[in-house]
């Protein structure tokens, strides 16, 4: 799919394809559709990131709260979104030893208790070891800083999801 | 569930219960969780409405684009959210005659073509006759006015969904 094909999509098709670039927040894609035509995929990516950056602090926290725990209940129960499942599996989070699993659960809880939103990291750019390390480190951050840190990860995730749609779809056209 | 019980919910429980007050936009509930404690359900309702009102014009359009067509493909295929299904059925939209069905399909398309978002109306406050009438009338509106008109309906829908959760849950406590 090239950018001209993207610009020709109805809002329903667009939201259907790009609606989970930001986890469980189809409003992001549904909003940036207004900005068509996009000159390039980079312009589309920038529109997504701009929407996120312009959210007020509470909206940024809200966006983080739409994310699942890493190696949490949704992974165990099979209720993750397709995108999240692929990312968590790629980072090896479906194959934790029992000690790693309890450590991650403890850190997830500690993080949520401290910040009021879940720990978000771009799992595709990490593995279970770096994730556990980052969880420990970031638990020490100041809340305002950590919101922005989480939001940077959301933007990385959305960019990789966008690129994966483009890659997957290219051979079809 | 009284408001004290609501204020005691973790963000995960809160988003789980109130995440579809605004159709497919859990970010709304996930954001207003930051404003706890709520003094009353009216305060929670106001926080939801304030979030919606503070969205920029494109965000309001995006929010409308997260809504399904009335009597559209999702109703036929059984892919509506539970809340939308109940509302559309209550308005008799699952039992349209073939002439009414084609008229509604034509008006849905005309509306989306003109405004770039779907026709949104609080189905619980209407029936198929008033809905068809409103579709015809509102198709004549100016786009900027019609965005606000649609957003007013989103707020009515969210209020009725909130009241239905409270009603359903009250006997349990």
């Amino acid at each position: 799919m090239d950018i001209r094909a993207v610009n020709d999509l109805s809002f329903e098709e667009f939201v259907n394809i790009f609606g989970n670039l930001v986890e469980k927040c189809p409003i992001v894609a549904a909003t940036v559709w207004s900005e068509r035509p996009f000159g390039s995929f980079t312009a589309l990516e920038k529109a997504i990131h701009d929407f996120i950056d312009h959210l007020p602090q509470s909206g940024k926290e809200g966006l983080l709260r739409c994310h699942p725990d890493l190696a949490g209940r949704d992974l165990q129960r099979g209720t993750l979104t397709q995108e999240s499942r692929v990312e968590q599996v790629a980072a090896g989070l479906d194959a934790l030893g029992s000690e790693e699993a309890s450590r991650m659960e403890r850190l997830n809880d500690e993080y949520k208790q401290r910040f009021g939103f879940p720990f978000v990291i771009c799992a595709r750019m990490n593995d279970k070891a770096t994730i556990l390390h980052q969880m420990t480190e970031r638990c020490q951050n100041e809340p305002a800083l950590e919101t922005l840190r989480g939001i940077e990860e959301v933007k990385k995730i959305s960019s990789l999801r966008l690129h994966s749609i483009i890659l997957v779809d290219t051979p079809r056209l």
Side-chain angles (χ1 to χ4, degrees), chain A:
Chain A
M1 178 178 288
D2 64 16
I3 196 68
R4 279 167 309 177
V6 169
N7 288 327
D8 283 342
L9 295 173
S10 71
F11 70 79
E12 287 134 315
E13 294 164 330
F14 188 88
V15 174
N16 199 32
I17 294 171
F18 299 107
N20 212 43
L21 290 186
V22 179
E23 182 74 8
K24 292 188 187 160
C25 292
I27 191 177
V28 184
T31 296
V32 304
W33 185 83
S34 297
E35 294 181 36
R36 289 162 316 131
F38 300 103
S40 62
F41 276 104
T42 310
L44 169 55
E45 182 181 31
K46 184 177 179 311
I48 301 275
H49 291 187
D50 283 351
F51 178 96
I52 297 171
D53 285 333
H54 284 98
L55 286 169
Q57 172 77 9
S58 62
K60 291 188 173 85
E61 292 170 10
L63 192 147
L64 293 169
R65 285 183 198 117
C66 293
H67 288 70
D69 280 355
L70 293 175
R73 216 174 295 171
D74 284 318
L75 178 64
Q76 288 149 27
R77 291 183 181 167
T79 49
L80 285 175
T81 62
Q82 166 71 3
E83 293 85 348
S84 256
R85 198 188 62 77
V86 169
E87 291 157 0
Q88 295 206 21
V89 167
L93 299 181
D94 61 331
L96 296 179
S98 70
E99 213 170 302
E100 291 167 326
S102 0
R103 198 171 148 220
M104 192 159 290
E105 191 183 345
R106 206 172 53 245
L107 285 166
N108 269 329
D109 289 346
E110 191 183 323
Y111 185 97
K112 287 187 285 187
Q113 191 60 39
R114 174 158 165 77
F115 298 111
F117 48 79
F119 177 81
V120 175
I121 192 166
C122 180
R124 274 183 196 271
M125 291 179 170
N126 287 278
D127 58 27
K128 57 187 182 180
T130 57
I131 288 172
L132 281 164
H133 178 73
Q134 284 285 317
M135 286 177 104
T136 313
E137 290 249 307
R138 285 172 48 189
C139 263
Q140 313 305 319
N141 279 344
E142 285 307 305
L145 175 70
E146 187 53 25
T147 306
L148 295 178
R149 187 70 183 76
I151 286 295
E152 287 309 309
E153 297 297 319
V154 171
K155 294 199 279 188
K156 287 183 207 166
I157 295 167
S158 72
S159 292
L160 291 189
R161 288 185 182 182
L162 176 61
H163 288 291
S164 122
I165 291 172
I166 300 168
L167 277 175
V168 168
D169 280 353
T170 303
R172 288 195 207 150
L173 296 182

